[in-house]
Amino acid sequence: MSATIAEKVFSQRCGRSVRAGEVVMAPVDAAMIHDITGPLAVRVFREMGGERVFDPERIIMLFDHQVPADSIPAAENHVFMRRFADEQGIHNYDLLEGVCHQVVMEKGRAAPGEIIVGTDSHTCTYGAAGAFATGIGSTDMGFVLKFGALYFRVPESIRIEVEGAFGRRVGAKDLILSLAGDIGADGATYMALEFTGDAMHTMNMAGRMTCANMAIEMGAKAGIVTPDAATWDYVAARRDIEPFDLAGDPDAEYRERRHYDVTDLAPQVAVPHNVDNVVDVGKVAGTKVDQVFIGSCTNGRYEDLAEAAEVLGNADRFADGVRVIVIPASRTEYLKALRGGLIERFVEAGALVEAPCCGPCMGGAFGLLAPGEVSLSTSNRNFRGRQGSAQASVYLSSPATAAASALYGEITDPREV
């Protein structure tokens, strides 16, 4: 029978043919917990009578939201999780590696056809590797830690075919912002977004991760990029695996089929205070900014930083009065940027370059906004209070648009720099 990628993944893991809408108990291939949501999951595991986790090798633990610990409660959470890891024999990446979603990908902990859950809504990032990856609550994770499985309703799918070639200084972030604007914040609720088409398959893995990462911003349960040679090369460089075919059948039953051409796509900006409130950059050009944040699990990879550095070019400094915060997504990406001269260039231009972590994105550690301030961020959410005061405003953009705006102190079309 013809099937979508999501249906194929669940059919293989459940050992029988399943269709969208069915409720199944499916085994998970990996479970990710971090410093914010992990402690509650562990407590639920204990309340359920858990003594030993289902498989310590399938649990991914790291700290990224409040690192280094920015409060005594945060430090206590870290200690609590370290003790649990030692007790259970779980490898803990601790605060040494970076943002959870980047680390899972670069350590080869996600692969095509796998079911991966994480106590973070942007777990869908691993769909860039062809996995069915989704965020779950800490209570559900407590169940997973004990049993290694979870109930799922197999989601319907929206097939998204993207064609064309991006214009100068336009890329994956602009595409996914435009999709959010078109589909809406709840237009794909509990569905799987299945990305395919020439523009997706010529996109590098960094761009694919950006797109999969923001599937949740349309309400999607998962965002899966159809695996191809680039996917298998990326995964095979990190773990032993034999490639196999995994693609949605053209005649499968999809909830919707959407077609996009990026040829004439302009740089996009999400305007406060919703991710789906998206406009061409020209409509908000000239908006003054107090802070520019380049980083996060959405756009903190070397390719993103290189995109920003290219726009910066030979300019002496970022605009006076603008705080520019740059945070590579992982230690690996930081080292790439360091060795490539990007870190030095950002510091010379006046940026604060921080150690790999979530930073201002979660609005709880540093880089917070005061009432009335405006931030332009390459992260994934711009809700009220997301980066500090509920009276502040957060705009979302690509690294190219962010860098151009940091140069001029106002939202700027990067194609004009």
Side-chain angles (χ1 to χ4, degrees), residues 33-381:
I33 52 178
H34 57 56
D35 52 314
I36 295 293
T37 53
L40 179 56
V42 172
R43 292 186 181 99
V44 172
F45 167 77
R46 296 293 193 205
E47 291 169 2
M48 290 181 174
E51 295 182 359
R52 305 299 302 176
V53 296
F54 76 102
D55 184 347
E57 294 187 359
R58 295 190 183 189
I59 297 171
I60 305 161
M61 181 189 294
L62 48 70
F63 310 154
D64 60 356
H65 279 60
Q66 291 179 280
V67 296
D70 57 6
S71 67
I72 293 175
E76 291 172 341
N77 280 341
H78 293 180
V79 170
F80 178 85
M81 295 299 290
R82 288 176 183 127
R83 288 173 177 168
F84 182 72
D86 290 343
E87 169 197 298
Q88 298 289 328
I90 299 168
H91 177 73
N92 178 17
Y93 292 105
D94 210 281
L95 50 69
L96 303 176
E97 295 295 341
V99 182
C100 56
H101 307 309
Q102 177 65 26
V103 174
V104 168
M105 287 288 291
E106 69 185 28
K107 297 296 183 183
R109 304 299 295 268
E114 294 186 334
I115 296 176
I116 305 175
V117 295
T119 48
D120 188 285
S121 59
H122 293 101
T123 297
C124 51
T125 304
Y126 322 147
F132 181 92
T134 191
I136 61 174
S138 294
T139 301
D140 284 342
M141 183 58 79
F143 185 93
V144 170
L145 292 177
K146 183 175 181 181
F147 297 105
L150 190 64
Y151 277 110
F152 295 88
R153 179 167 65 83
V154 181
E156 296 174 292
S157 295
I158 298 177
R159 184 179 176 92
I160 297 178
E161 296 188 22
V162 188
E163 309 295 342
F166 289 108
R168 175 174 174 266
R169 292 179 176 170
V170 180
K173 183 62 168 292
D174 302 299
L175 168 62
I176 199 63
L177 285 176
S178 71
L179 293 184
D182 186 46
I183 295 173
D186 58 357
T189 299
Y190 209 95
M191 299 180 202
L193 299 183
E194 189 177 299
F195 297 100
T196 189
D198 291 345
M200 293 304 304
H201 294 300
T202 55
M203 188 181 293
N204 58 29
M205 288 298 293
R208 299 180 191 195
M209 289 173 69
T210 297
C211 290
N213 174 272
M214 291 191 66
I216 184 62
E217 308 311 332
M218 290 158 271
K221 189 72 172 173
I224 308 171
V225 181
T226 303
D228 57 13
T231 314
W232 289 111
D233 287 346
Y234 182 91
V235 176
R238 291 159 172 79
R239 63 192 271 187
D240 292 331
I241 191 168
E242 289 294 324
F244 59 88
D245 291 332
L246 179 62
D249 296 317
D251 57 345
E253 185 176 343
Y254 289 92
R255 176 66 174 269
E256 291 183 59
R257 296 171 185 264
R258 290 174 174 259
H259 300 265
Y260 297 90
D261 190 322
V262 301
T263 303
D264 296 321
L265 182 66
Q268 302 290 290
V269 176
V271 177
H273 297 280
N274 293 294
V275 182
D276 61 348
N277 189 10
V278 179
V279 300
D280 288 354
V281 65
K283 292 189 176 181
V284 289
T287 303
K288 299 293 184 182
V289 296
D290 299 290
Q291 179 169 293
V292 172
F293 168 41
I294 301 173
S296 84
C297 58
T298 313
N299 283 124
R301 286 165 278 283
Y302 173 82
E303 292 85 348
D304 301 311
L305 303 183
E307 179 181 312
E310 188 274 328
V311 174
L312 174 60
N314 296 319
D316 290 335
R317 291 185 65 82
F318 292 118
D320 291 340
V322 178
R323 308 184 299 274
V324 180
I325 301 174
V326 177
I327 308 180
S330 71
R331 184 164 62 100
T332 297
E333 298 301 299
Y334 192 113
L335 286 170
K336 287 182 188 176
L338 183 66
R339 291 163 179 159
L342 304 186
I343 301 298
E344 181 178 5
R345 187 71 193 90
F346 290 136
V347 173
E348 287 176 342
L352 297 175
V353 180
E354 304 290 344
C357 66
C358 295
C361 181
M362 69 162 288
F366 59 85
L368 306 186
L369 302 174
E373 287 198 304
V374 175
S375 169
L376 181 64
S377 174
T378 66
S379 55
N380 44 46
R381 287 185 175 153

